[in-house]
Amino acid sequence: MKELYPELIDYIFQHCWKYYSEIEKEAIDHHIGAVKFDKFAFQSQKLDDAKTRFSTENPEALKLLENGYSEFIKTTATRIFNEHENELELNFCPGCGKIARTPKAKQCRFCRNDWH
């Protein structure tokens, strides 16, 4: 497995959704539900219903989150990169070779190269 740098991990995690497995999507929903609704627990039935909609009891999805969300992001992005490296539409700077902020970015955040 290739070690990815943080900006490439973030890029893949944010912009390569079509390569997520169903279990990974379930884990993300569970995390979002926990972050959004745990602080409002038992305030209303409507909030409890919303939390339930995002939550999962799937042990595979929960296992992905057991080392924390940051580690989940890293392992998911690394898996996607290793399995789909040739399919990913990565936007690398033509100057320094590092990843751009978004797929449509035309200026490098590292070397400030502009390729408009």
Side-chain angles (χ1 to χ4, degrees):
M1 276 191 151
K2 184 175 180 177
E3 184 71 24
L4 305 181
Y5 56 95
E7 295 83 8
L8 183 54
I9 290 169
D10 290 343
Y11 182 99
I12 292 170
F13 195 77
Q14 291 176 20
H15 302 291
C16 299
W17 284 76
K18 71 180 184 180
Y19 299 104
Y20 286 3
S21 69
E22 290 304 313
I23 300 295
E24 289 164 341
K25 291 176 187 176
E26 204 172 318
I28 291 167
D29 284 348
H30 182 81
H31 173 75
I32 290 169
V35 168
K36 279 185 147 181
F37 300 111
D38 272 356
K39 59 186 168 194
F40 301 112
F42 309 111
Q43 284 190 359
S44 76
Q45 183 62 41
K46 190 174 183 179
L47 289 173
D48 284 345
D49 292 344
K51 182 180 178 187
T52 302
R53 193 177 70 224
F54 282 95
S55 294
T56 186
E57 292 181 12
N58 183 332
E60 290 180 67
L62 296 174
K63 185 167 176 55
L64 293 175
L65 296 168
E66 71 184 6
N67 293 321
Y69 196 64
S70 295
E71 190 62 28
F72 167 70
I73 290 171
K74 183 178 178 182
T75 56
T76 300
T78 302
R79 180 198 63 76
I80 290 169
F81 183 82
N82 288 329
E83 291 179 9
H84 303 282
E85 180 178 5
N86 296 327
E87 303 163 54
L88 296 176
E89 296 176 17
L90 302 175
N91 183 12
F92 290 105
C93 171
C96 70
K98 291 195 176 180
I99 195 73
R101 220 177 271 284
T102 69
K104 294 183 179 184
K106 298 290 184 188
Q107 184 172 4
C108 183
R109 63 178 140 173
F110 301 103
C111 72
R112 303 289 181 226
N113 181 35
D114 189 332
W115 61 96
H116 281 94

